[in-house]
Amino acid sequence: MSLYEEWSGIFNEIRSCRKCRLHESRTNPVPGEGPLTARVVVIGEAPGRKEDESGTPFVGPAGKFLNTLLESAGLKREEVFITNIVKCRPPGNRKPRRDEISQCLGYLSRQLRLLKPRVLILLGNTAAETIYGLAGVEWHGVMKDHGKVFEIKVFGVEALSIPTFHPAAALYNPRLKNIILEDFTKVVKPIIAGLEKGSSQP
Ligand code: URA
């Protein structure tokens, strides 16, 4: 099987997934968006209303802010892979439950093993807690640990990871906006610039 066939196979499995209760209330699963060549992966929590309607991650208000954040770090949305810890919207945007996360993680694992990204940007506590739990990193919460860089190995992939607040948090608390922007400009941007020095694409 070619890499591309494996890649699209994962998407097709997610689109017909019924492993957990979230399939009952979803409109569309949201497998993720971005090229198989992406060296940067952005991981959020779970699709929201707009994402559930469209099947595309981060297209609602939080997604607009995410696009600004990526640009501020010298990244184009089209060159990164954007996905979530769970691929279907929890009803009423509640947090995904532990069993829903564990049923869904196999998909993220396969996506990351194929992509072999160099950088993971973790948006919010759910993404960071889940990934650092798997990687054996002590996690003190996004308030304390946002903007730090952790070298991790997760699902067999070695990458630099940067946790920050979820962009939706800035929509409720405008003071967070500059803090998230700083994490992207002061922490993510130099890492991306470093990757670019090593090769012609991030
Ligand atoms: N919030 C997320 O965590 N993911 C999305 O795709 C949209 C909003």
Side-chain angles (χ1 to χ4, degrees), residues 30 44-48 51 56-59 62 83-84 123 166 168:
V30 184
E45 177 177 294
E51 292 76 20
T56 308
F58 283 98
V59 287
T83 191
N84 287 296
L123 303 176
H166 194 289

Side-chain angles (χ1 to χ4, degrees), residues 85-137:
I85 293 289
V86 299
K87 313 301 192 194
C88 294
R89 182 193 185 207
N93 288 355
R94 66 161 167 77
K95 279 200 174 297
R97 296 185 184 144
R98 203 180 286 256
D99 64 313
E100 294 158 355
I101 293 177
S102 60
Q103 296 280 10
C104 207
L105 273 181
Y107 296 125
L108 182 63
S109 158
R110 288 160 66 196
Q111 289 173 325
L112 293 183
R113 281 173 198 274
L114 284 187
L115 284 162
K116 298 189 179 61
R118 304 279 302 280
V119 177
L120 298 177
I121 302 173
L122 307 176
L123 303 176
N125 257 319
T126 300
E129 221 169 67
T130 305
I131 295 296
Y132 293 137
L134 291 163
V137 170

Side-chain angles (χ1 to χ4, degrees), residues 10-142:
I10 303 170
F11 278 63
N12 290 337
E13 278 183 51
I14 294 171
R15 289 197 179 107
S16 57
C17 183
R18 290 165 160 260
K19 284 187 189 179
C20 83
R21 65 181 78 73
L22 295 181
H23 83 271
E24 291 164 11
S25 51
R26 75 181 178 215
T27 311
N28 292 295
V30 184
E33 181 185 50
L36 189 43
T37 50
R39 298 208 295 164
V40 178
V41 171
V42 176
I43 305 176
E45 177 177 294
R49 190 165 55 83
K50 291 266 181 215
E51 292 76 20
D52 176 68
E53 282 167 11
S54 64
T56 308
F58 283 98
V59 287
K64 296 218 165 67
F65 185 40
L66 176 62
N67 295 345
T68 307
L69 293 167
L70 291 172
E71 258 175 52
S72 78
L75 287 164
K76 294 191 192 98
R77 182 175 165 121
E78 314 80 75
E79 68 193 345
V80 306
F81 183 67
I82 303 176
T83 191
N84 287 296
I85 293 289
V86 299
K87 313 301 192 194
C88 294
R89 182 193 185 207
N93 288 355
R94 66 161 167 77
K95 279 200 174 297
R97 296 185 184 144
R98 203 180 286 256
D99 64 313
E100 294 158 355
I101 293 177
S102 60
Q103 296 280 10
C104 207
L105 273 181
Y107 296 125
L108 182 63
S109 158
R110 288 160 66 196
Q111 289 173 325
L112 293 183
R113 281 173 198 274
L114 284 187
L115 284 162
K116 298 189 179 61
R118 304 279 302 280
V119 177
L120 298 177
I121 302 173
L122 307 176
L123 303 176
N125 257 319
T126 300
E129 221 169 67
T130 305
I131 295 296
Y132 293 137
L134 291 163
V137 170
E138 205 175 314
W139 173 244
H140 304 101
V142 75

Side-chain angles (χ1 to χ4, degrees), residues 145-163:
D145 282 347
H146 74 92
K148 294 182 182 166
V149 182
F150 297 90
E151 274 187 62
I152 60 167
K153 186 168 180 183
V154 66
F155 304 127
V157 175
E158 287 180 32
L160 293 179
S161 67
I162 305 98

